[in-house]
Amino acid sequence: MGYRYAIIGAGRQGLSAAYDLARFGSAEEILLCDLKLETAQKGAEKLRAQLSQDLFIPVSLDAGNLNQLQNALKGVDSAISAVPFTFNLGITKAAIECNTNLCDLGGHTETVLKQLALDESSITIVPDCGMGPGLNISLGILAMSFLEKPINLFIWDGGLPLNPVPPWNYISTFHINGLTNEYEGPAWFIRDGKPTQVPCLSEVEELDFPTPLGRLEAAVTAGGLSTAPWTFAGKLQRLENKTLRYPGHWQTFQAFQQLGLFEQTPVEIKDGSFVPRETFHALLQPKIAGDQVHDICVIRVRCEGESNGKTAVCTLDLCETYDEETGLTAMEKFTGWHASMVAILSAQNKLPKGAVPIEKALSGPLLMQEAEKRKWTIKNNTLLGV
């Protein structure tokens, strides 16, 4: 039996998710919903050409219109929201009305908490899919599963250009406002078993990775753990997530931060005023954006704990690169495919029912199975008695 899926938002990540649903989701039909019908039509044409499958139905949809949402989601087994987080609470309520499983790309913890508070037991609702929060947390859950008693969990992840160009050595794979939000913070970690605020762009450290990455720098950024610090409070002593960049990046952005360029309060100048963040974005975005993004994404997790009464450490590495054949970026694959995994497993009734945080929804064994289908190689280095 085939399944009906709906993608709300036919941009880069949405099309990547649709691509994956067509390959692994036993799809009978995939609705590509977008405010601009032309965008959905172009996406459908692109996917039909890539996959030689005629599953994709373009739909004009205003994600803020409850009636349109309900009409689109009727009879759909699983839906993925790939639109800005401001729409997700309304989309969740529409999915509940239509008895449609839903996952989204999250990114805003306060909205996620409102979604998780909805009383629903007949379908599966999983916010915060994607690369981070999302796949980074799922990989952490997998690492924890290899130890009898996890104590500390450290996560590092980042999306980077394969061929960095000075002085930025960075390329934007999502809206620049999201980048600034991550850098402004604060972040929430677990320290001494309790959720703790940590300032962004702090605690810079160096890590070494295989070629072509080499040595990278990691720093604290906001939002990557979403609800996990509260889920694992009292269960883990430490839980941390830092973002990876090429050396020098954090020093540059610390200077921008200290100069006040992340601020949104207008600054008075002669003959008027300006908003620092808007000016910062207008100047920086053209420097770090590109139509053709050849990127590499990497996630490393390290779980420290005990097994068989001895100290144990599990380190997992997962890496993805731009795909010349399909044109999919590494970020699109990590983001869209993690969401599609959850959508597929929800349609197959393999995930818990209700509104569930990602750290409770996708188990380690299920992640392993889905990663293998997509030829993702998770490098496992588990050491006992260290």
Side-chain angles (χ1 to χ4, degrees), residues 206-233:
E206 295 183 340
L207 293 91
D208 290 318
F209 290 86
T211 304
L213 288 171
R215 177 156 294 189
L216 300 178
E217 290 181 344
V220 175
T221 57
L225 292 173
S226 190
T227 57
W230 292 271
T231 298
F232 292 112

Side-chain angles (χ1 to χ4, degrees), residues 12 15-16 19-20 23 46-47 49-51 292-294 320-330 332-333 337:
R12 285 183 170 184
L15 293 184
S16 174
Y19 176 92
D20 194 68
R23 294 175 70 207
K46 179 180 178 180
L47 289 166
Q50 284 178 329
L51 295 163
Q292 195 68 28
V293 180
H294 290 217
E320 181 61 277
T321 57
Y322 169 81
D323 189 328
E324 293 280 357
E325 184 177 344
T326 63
L328 290 171
T329 67
E332 287 167 358
K333 287 186 277 186
W337 293 7

Side-chain angles (χ1 to χ4, degrees), residues 48-259:
R48 289 176 191 136
Q50 284 178 329
L51 295 163
S52 300
Q53 295 184 54
D54 193 15
L55 302 171
F56 308 100
I57 312 297
V59 175
S60 175
L61 172 69
D62 179 353
N65 186 306
L66 183 60
N67 288 332
Q68 289 186 27
L69 283 169
Q70 289 178 342
N71 287 335
L73 294 179
K74 284 177 183 175
V76 169
D77 295 291
S78 279
I80 297 172
S81 171
V83 293
F85 73 82
T86 50
F87 294 102
N88 283 340
L89 186 59
I91 293 171
T92 302
K93 292 176 180 178
I96 291 172
E97 287 292 323
C98 296
N99 205 43
T100 298
N101 299 300
L102 175 71
C103 63
D104 64 49
L105 302 186
H108 189 257
T109 305
E110 289 182 15
T111 300
V112 170
L113 291 172
K114 292 176 182 177
Q115 292 172 269
L116 296 177
L118 296 173
D119 184 16
E120 177 52 47
S121 58
S122 61
I123 59 173
T124 298
I125 299 166
V126 185
D128 280 335
C129 298
M131 179 176 172
L135 182 56
N136 61 337
I137 296 173
S138 297
L139 202 64
I141 298 300
L142 176 60
M144 290 171 64
S145 73
F146 288 110
L147 305 187
E148 287 181 7
K149 183 183 177 182
I151 297 174
N152 301 321
L153 179 62
F154 304 94
I155 302 173
W156 302 270
D157 61 82
L160 298 161
L162 265 171
N163 301 299
V165 178
W168 309 109
N169 295 323
Y170 179 75
I171 192 163
S172 176
T173 52
F174 55 93
H175 195 281
I176 191 170
N177 197 55
L179 182 74
T180 312
N181 285 337
E182 287 183 7
Y183 286 8
E184 185 181 33
W188 283 92
F189 289 173
I190 292 177
R191 296 268 169 91
D192 298 321
K194 300 176 183 178
T196 305
Q197 275 194 6
V198 183
C200 282
L201 308 190
S202 66
E203 303 185 17
V204 177
E205 62 179 317
E206 295 183 340
L207 293 91
D208 290 318
F209 290 86
T211 304
L213 288 171
R215 177 156 294 189
L216 300 178
E217 290 181 344
V220 175
T221 57
L225 292 173
S226 190
T227 57
W230 292 271
T231 298
F232 292 112
K235 299 172 185 176
L236 291 172
Q237 280 298 297
R238 291 181 71 123
L239 172 62
E240 302 182 1
N241 180 206
K242 293 183 179 181
T243 297
L244 295 163
R245 295 287 185 257
Y246 289 114
H249 180 94
W250 298 119
Q251 185 178 27
T252 298
F253 278 81
Q254 285 167 352
F256 291 153
Q257 181 191 52
Q258 292 168 18
L259 193 58

